[in-house]
Amino acid sequence: MEGEELAALVARVPEGWSRQVVHGRAWGLTRVEHGGGRSATIAGEELGGRGRIDANVWRTSAGTVLRPCEMPEEQVLAVLRALPDRR
């Protein structure tokens, strides 16, 4: 997934560490911005569970690009889509 939809999903994760509810379960999520906002790292783990996500996000002139770390893209997107819209 790339583009505006992905940018909106990434924006659902607050910067720094936060506790979020994903599909009724507690998660600890972290978003760290790099390079003046040109990239970000998103990591998360289900608190008391086995769920994990880890991905890099690149904001290029062509749009926003998601690069999961050793996991399927859909695994990361499922968590991002379950978060409330923060707009």
Side-chain angles (χ1 to χ4, degrees):
M1 168 184 281
E2 298 180 15
E4 289 181 33
E5 182 184 0
L6 176 59
L9 291 176
V10 170
R12 292 179 179 191
V13 181
E15 283 191 62
W17 187 90
S18 64
R19 181 184 173 104
Q20 301 290 323
V21 175
V22 177
H23 302 297
R25 305 207 53 145
W27 279 66
L29 294 175
T30 303
R31 186 179 102 209
V32 179
E33 295 290 323
H34 307 283
R38 290 187 304 264
S39 67
T41 301
I42 296 177
E45 64 180 326
E46 182 183 355
L47 302 176
R50 301 180 87 185
R52 299 183 77 77
I53 63 165
D54 192 12
N56 293 305
V57 178
W58 302 98
R59 297 177 184 103
T60 70
S61 60
T64 305
V65 180
L66 180 69
R67 294 289 182 249
C69 301
E70 300 183 20
M71 64 188 52
E73 184 176 281
E74 276 305 315
Q75 186 174 334
V76 176
L77 291 174
V79 171
L80 297 180
R81 287 178 176 137
L83 297 174
D85 190 348
R86 297 179 44 218
R87 286 186 256 175

